Amino acid sequence: MAEVVSSVAPLADERRQLKLLIDHVSDHAIYLLDPDGHICSWNRGGERVNGYTAAEAIGQHVSIFYTAEDQQLGLPQQTLERVREQGRLVGEGWRVRRNGEQFRASIVIEAVRENGVLLGFVKVTQDITERYQAQRLLQDAQRARQHLQQFEGVGRLTRGLAHEFNNLLTTIGNALDLIALRPTADARTHELVELAQAAADRGSLLTRQLLAFSADQTLVREPVSVPQLLEEAWPSLQRACAPTNRIRLDIAPALPSITTDGVQLHSAVLNLVLNSCEAMPHGGTVTITARLEQLLAPDLAHPTRRRYVALAVTDEGGGMPPEIAARASEPFFTTKEVGKGSGLGLSQVFGFVSQCDGFVDVQTAPGHGTTVRLLLPAIEEIEYA
């Protein structure tokens, strides 16, 4: 009985209970700050989450956990001031470990007062990076699925119209050829035939765009190396832009190949580059990047993570407001003047990428340019036992 009492007695001290409780919480950093924001205590979770030992952390200002940008903006001081006024603050943001690695943190800060006097702050920090990334992946997948569903109905209608339109254009083109071959045709007739043939050719281009949007074009699928395609396409992409625009490639090493139609992919990239150049009428840089990313496939009925080659085209233009960005991929929607665009450019890209089992992500904001990412499934390597 004496042994039982001796083993339990140390836990009878409430201060010791509290210390043991806090010290043994390893997945949350729990520590005290003085009224000026300096660290007064440190637990085991603080070392695990932030990377500092107690000897390194105690005495330091809480701002050491903030990014350099947040420090320049005075965010640590602003945060403590809000807690002084409101008594409590809950939020999340990016923080920095001792080794310089950034992580997403969930933050709770409580003001500690006694008889109305501020003694300091209690701060609890949890690393939620994995949960944050999972939420972002899910949001990307949901957005991609919404785009796919949006295009399915319109695509069926467009497919039928495109085939009918193509049949009409074939008839018109044959008739123009026959008229041009007539021996009685004079110079004026030939001039009119050429104008009509040019209009028919433009109609054929529009038909191809419609078929691409409706995902009814025939793709020549084969393994394609994105770095090689971009390197070979760079001269033609640069020539397509005004002299005041520059194309910059930023390609990650050792990217896996994708299964797609290289000609159609080149056309999609060219389309995006031309849009980017038009967004910078006074000049600027168009950056084309290629990275490997792990994302959730848009089919949320069976959500699975898979590898995608993310091919992004970024400009330094004025960006788009939310109401325009939400409609940018709609067929026939354009902000250009009449006759300057069909409104099928981005729709064509969406249709092509959808045929390749991929999806498109558009990131833009006024004053911050536009980035269009093509997410194309990477060829998975088969491992043999």
Side-chain angles (χ1 to χ4, degrees):
M1 182 65 67
E3 291 182 0
V4 174
V5 173
S6 62
S7 63
V8 175
L11 294 180
D13 186 339
E14 291 185 359
R15 288 178 299 179
R16 179 172 173 79
Q17 289 179 19
L18 181 60
K19 184 177 186 306
L20 288 172
L21 174 64
I22 294 176
D23 284 347
H24 284 74
V25 174
S26 61
D27 59 345
H28 288 68
I30 304 175
Y31 50 96
L32 289 170
L33 305 176
D34 69 17
D36 295 323
H38 294 93
I39 301 168
C40 302
S41 68
W42 198 244
N43 76 326
R44 186 182 305 176
E47 183 171 348
R48 177 182 175 277
V49 173
N50 297 98
Y52 292 85
T53 64
E56 294 169 330
I58 293 177
Q60 296 277 2
H61 193 270
V62 71
S63 59
I64 63 172
F65 306 133
Y66 287 73
T67 65
E69 294 79 6
D70 287 345
Q71 290 183 30
Q72 292 175 358
L73 293 172
L75 187 60
Q77 292 77 13
Q78 295 172 18
T79 299
L80 293 180
E81 187 60 35
R82 286 180 58 189
V83 178
R84 286 191 186 94
E85 297 173 356
Q86 301 174 10
R88 188 171 190 265
L89 182 135
V90 179
E92 65 177 65
W94 291 104
R95 296 295 183 265
V96 182
R97 304 191 212 277
R98 186 181 184 281
N99 61 7
E101 176 189 7
Q102 290 195 16
F103 67 100
R104 192 73 178 178
S106 171
I107 309 295
V108 178
I109 307 178
E110 294 263 6
V112 179
R113 300 181 186 276
E114 188 176 61
N115 298 324
V117 178
L118 179 68
L119 301 181
F121 307 92
V122 174
K123 185 171 184 181
V124 180
T125 303
Q126 182 184 14
D127 183 350
I128 59 168
T129 306
E130 290 188 4
R131 187 177 74 194
Y132 175 79
Q133 292 175 341
Q135 289 173 343
R136 292 294 300 271
L137 290 176
L138 184 60
Q139 290 170 0
D140 289 342
Q142 289 172 333
R143 186 164 56 247
R145 185 169 179 81
Q146 289 171 356
H147 280 303
L148 292 177
Q149 291 173 339
Q150 174 188 0
F151 288 123
E152 283 177 358
V154 182
R156 285 191 293 269
L157 173 63
T158 305
R159 189 180 306 122
L161 290 175
H163 284 298
E164 290 295 331
F165 191 33
N166 193 52
N167 292 336
L168 293 174
L169 287 172
T170 301
T171 302
I172 293 171
N174 291 337
L176 291 172
D177 290 338
L178 292 174
I179 293 172
L181 291 174
R182 296 186 65 177
T184 57
D186 56 13
R188 178 58 177 167
T189 301
H190 283 291
E191 181 181 349
L192 292 174
V193 166
E194 288 179 0
L195 289 173
Q197 189 63 60
D201 290 341
R202 181 171 176 79
S204 296
L205 174 61
L206 180 60
T207 300
R208 290 196 297 273
Q209 289 181 323
L210 286 169
L211 290 174
F213 160 71
S214 65
D216 197 42
Q217 63 182 351
T218 301
L219 299 182
V220 181
R221 291 174 176 266
E222 58 185 359
V224 172
S225 168
V226 172
Q228 181 180 344
L229 182 142
L230 292 177
E231 292 287 354
E232 293 175 353
W234 183 86
S236 62
L237 295 175
Q238 185 64 69
R239 285 194 301 269
C241 294
T244 53
N245 296 123
R246 185 173 71 92
I247 308 294
R248 186 175 72 89
L249 298 182
D250 181 8
I251 305 171
L255 282 178
S257 295
I258 59 176
T259 301
T260 187
D261 186 320
V263 175
Q264 294 294 335
L265 180 57
H266 178 280
S267 176
V269 174
L270 176 60
N271 208 323
L272 296 178
V273 168
L274 289 175
N275 284 347
S276 293
C277 290
E278 289 179 358
M280 301 183 295
H282 304 296
T285 300
V286 179
T287 302
I288 303 176
T289 62
R291 298 282 187 272
L292 183 65
E293 297 187 13
Q294 288 271 1
L295 299 170
L296 283 178
D299 185 4
L300 297 184
H302 304 284
T304 56
R305 292 170 67 98
R306 66 183 303 181
R307 299 193 309 164
Y308 289 86
V309 173
L311 199 165
V313 178
T314 302
D315 64 57
E316 302 171 330
M320 293 183 284
E323 62 273 15
I324 298 297
R327 302 189 61 192
S329 59
E330 289 183 14
F332 310 111
F333 176 78
T334 178
T335 56
K336 300 175 184 176
E337 299 176 11
V338 176
K340 294 294 183 66
S342 63
L344 283 171
L346 197 53
S347 298
Q348 180 182 6
V349 173
F350 269 77
F352 160 68
V353 174
S354 297
Q355 275 190 279
C356 298
D357 300 322
F359 57 97
V360 181
D361 179 40
V362 180
Q363 300 172 352
T364 185
H368 295 281
T370 299
T371 296
V372 180
R373 296 197 308 152
L374 312 184
L375 287 305
L376 299 162
I379 296 177
E380 300 293 344
E381 298 180 358
I382 301 176
E383 297 182 359
Y384 296 95

